[in-house]
Amino acid sequence: DAGVTQSPTHLIKTRGQQVTLRCSPISGHKSVSWYQQVLGQGPQFIFQYYEKEERGRGNFPDRFSARQFPNYSSELNVNALLLGDSALYLCASSSGIYTTQYFGPGTRLLVL
Amino acid sequence: AQSVTQLGSHVSVSEGALVLLRCNYSSSVPPYLFWYVQYPNQGLQLLLKYTTGATLVKGINGFEAEFKKSETSFHLTKPSAHMSDAAEYFCAVEGVKTSGSRLTFGEGTQLTVNP
């Protein structure tokens, strides 16, 4: 079975631009969570979605938004990019809200 | 609120030696605890998890961890290190709210295995 997939794998943007990252969960999983991992640090929780509804939001500005589609895939959008948004963005899927999270390979975003 | 402290950002061992990676947590509710491993330029792979029940948890690749409530610890061990174990290891605690859950990670421990 395929694991969590994310696209693109790498992305370079300039300050002020907008970016959309995509995630496809493991088949049968209905929950997707997003994490930001800045170089040298542990991942930080951004969002959790379950059945297309937001179930949790971390301490991130409103420039960060996400949504989940009927097929349970998800997009993370970041507007008005800052240099500090450069990070590895990880998507995790789980079968339910409170079940084990399995991570994808991540999208590495570089903001210049 | 939950938090995780990983003692030692870098640990170096010889091949065949014991691996011990330390993790202490803070949680206002009975914790669910996890260890993930991250190889260079990759995502996180689940090594093992503790939810309830047996406090000694066995994971993949010969790793195990013991939940000690009195010490608020969840240290990761492996009896004999292999070169392929070189990676970054993250301890995490799951915070469960009525609406959802989230993982809170430590800062990570980089494990180096010397030949």
Side-chain angles (χ1 to χ4, degrees):
Chain A
D1 288 342
V4 179
T5 59
Q6 293 185 243
S7 63
T9 56
H10 295 80
L11 206 50
I12 300 176
K13 293 286 188 178
T14 57
R15 283 177 297 175
Q17 286 189 312
Q18 176 264 340
V19 69
T20 298
L21 311 181
R22 296 175 176 83
C23 172
S24 292
I26 293 170
S27 177
H29 283 195
K30 298 182 178 180
S31 179
V32 168
S33 298
W34 288 94
Y35 292 80
Q36 180 197 64
Q37 185 181 18
V38 172
L39 192 64
Q41 298 182 17
Q44 298 286 322
F45 172 77
I46 310 176
F47 287 110
Q48 183 189 38
Y49 276 77
Y50 177 74
E51 292 280 16
K52 297 177 290 181
E53 290 188 4
E54 181 182 306
R55 292 303 191 116
R57 183 186 183 108
N59 188 24
F60 281 82
D62 292 343
R63 299 185 296 107
F64 288 76
S65 64
R67 56 180 176 170
Q68 187 177 32
F69 299 99
N71 66 353
Y72 304 113
S73 67
S74 177
E75 288 182 350
L76 175 70
N77 295 284
V78 187
N79 294 322
L81 285 166
L82 303 175
L83 296 180
D85 295 331
S86 295
L88 180 67
Y89 288 85
L90 294 164
C91 172
S93 82
S94 54
S95 56
I97 302 175
Y98 308 114
T99 53
T100 301
Q101 296 182 30
Y102 296 91
F103 285 80
T107 293
R108 189 164 297 280
L109 172 64
L110 177 61
V111 182
L112 301 176
Chain B
Q2 286 76 30
S3 67
V4 172
T5 302
Q6 291 184 239
L7 300 176
S9 58
H10 291 85
V11 170
S12 181
V13 300
S14 299
E15 191 174 18
L18 171 71
V19 175
L20 171 60
L21 304 182
R22 299 177 187 274
C23 171
N24 287 89
Y25 70 91
S26 173
S27 177
S28 56
V29 297
Y32 287 5
L33 295 159
F34 304 81
W35 277 99
Y36 285 87
V37 61
Q38 186 175 38
Y39 296 100
N41 300 313
Q42 294 187 25
L44 302 177
Q45 180 182 7
L46 179 67
L47 276 178
L48 50 79
K49 63 180 179 180
Y50 168 79
T51 53
T52 58
T55 56
L56 182 61
V57 180
K58 295 187 183 299
I60 61 171
N61 301 337
F63 285 94
E64 63 183 35
E66 186 171 11
F67 169 63
K68 292 187 176 181
K69 183 178 179 180
S70 61
E71 298 178 8
T72 61
S73 69
F74 191 57
H75 302 330
L76 182 71
T77 60
K78 181 175 181 177
S80 177
H82 192 271
M83 296 295 290
S84 61
D85 294 328
E88 185 140 30
Y89 293 79
F90 292 95
C91 180
V93 61
E94 183 171 24
V96 177
K97 301 183 177 183
T98 54
S99 59
S101 70
R102 62 187 67 186
L103 292 171
T104 300
F105 287 86
E107 293 292 299
T109 297
Q110 182 68 47
L111 175 66
T112 300
V113 182
N114 303 305

